[in-house]
Amino acid sequence: MKKELTRAEEQIMQAIWSVGKGFAKDIHEQLEEPRPAYNTVLTVIRVLVQKGFVEYKTYGKSNEYYPMITKEAYSAQRFQSLKENYFGNSNAKLLSFFLKENNLDLQDLNELLEIIKKERHD
């Protein structure tokens, strides 16, 4: 799945990921104030179903929605797209940009390396 979400779709997906599985009212309640109108949430959910991000199970007249992609998988996909589109798919260029933009020093970089080493051994 190599599709991107609009800002509104991503807002609703965040709520769906948070709920895990739920009805439209559960998803609507999960949104921060000011919440979009309930019908707007339903419309965006329908779009997410069409795009393949969300599926549902029907109980009578109600649909229970659940994500078809994990938040982690979508984040990885978006990160990869960012790296390809803005950094020529170069890890070095991406990391250099990140370090420069966030004013990280050598100690920060060493901490990052330690975290990476630890995660590779877990």
Side-chain angles (χ1 to χ4, degrees), residues 78-90:
R78 294 294 299 132
F79 184 78
Q80 183 62 35
S81 177
L82 176 78
K83 187 173 82 167
E84 289 170 3
N85 293 331
Y86 292 94
F87 301 99
N89 207 26
S90 166

Side-chain angles (χ1 to χ4, degrees), residues 94-105:
L94 176 93
L95 185 56
S96 173
F97 175 82
F98 178 77
L99 293 171
K100 185 171 59 175
E101 287 299 309
N102 291 286
N103 297 322
L104 299 179
D105 60 21

Side-chain angles (χ1 to χ4, degrees), residues 41-62:
V41 172
L42 284 175
T43 299
V44 173
I45 291 171
R46 276 191 224 104
V47 171
L48 290 168
V49 169
Q50 290 171 349
K51 285 185 166 186
F53 284 96
V54 173
E55 277 295 328
Y56 62 91
K57 191 169 186 175
T58 302
Y59 298 96
K61 293 182 179 183
S62 298

Side-chain angles (χ1 to χ4, degrees), residues 12-118:
I12 303 301
M13 277 306 297
Q14 292 288 348
I16 293 170
W17 284 320
S18 181
V19 169
K21 188 188 269 191
F23 297 92
K25 75 172 188 58
D26 302 320
I27 296 164
H28 185 256
E29 289 171 0
Q30 195 67 37
L31 298 169
E32 291 182 16
E33 296 288 348
R35 291 184 182 108
Y38 181 79
N39 285 338
T40 302
V41 172
L42 284 175
T43 299
V44 173
I45 291 171
R46 276 191 224 104
V47 171
L48 290 168
V49 169
Q50 290 171 349
K51 285 185 166 186
F53 284 96
V54 173
E55 277 295 328
Y56 62 91
K57 191 169 186 175
T58 302
Y59 298 96
K61 293 182 179 183
S62 298
N63 293 330
E64 183 178 41
Y65 299 97
Y66 53 92
M68 293 302 293
I69 184 172
T70 65
K71 185 176 184 177
E72 292 76 19
Y74 183 73
S75 297
Q77 174 187 310
R78 294 294 299 132
F79 184 78
Q80 183 62 35
S81 177
L82 176 78
K83 187 173 82 167
E84 289 170 3
N85 293 331
Y86 292 94
F87 301 99
N89 207 26
S90 166
N91 290 328
K93 287 180 183 177
L94 176 93
L95 185 56
S96 173
F97 175 82
F98 178 77
L99 293 171
K100 185 171 59 175
E101 287 299 309
N102 291 286
N103 297 322
L104 299 179
D105 60 21
L106 196 52
Q107 182 179 345
D108 295 323
L109 187 54
N110 283 330
E111 286 178 32
L112 284 171
L113 286 171
E114 288 303 315
I115 292 169
I116 291 167
K117 285 177 186 176
K118 185 176 185 286

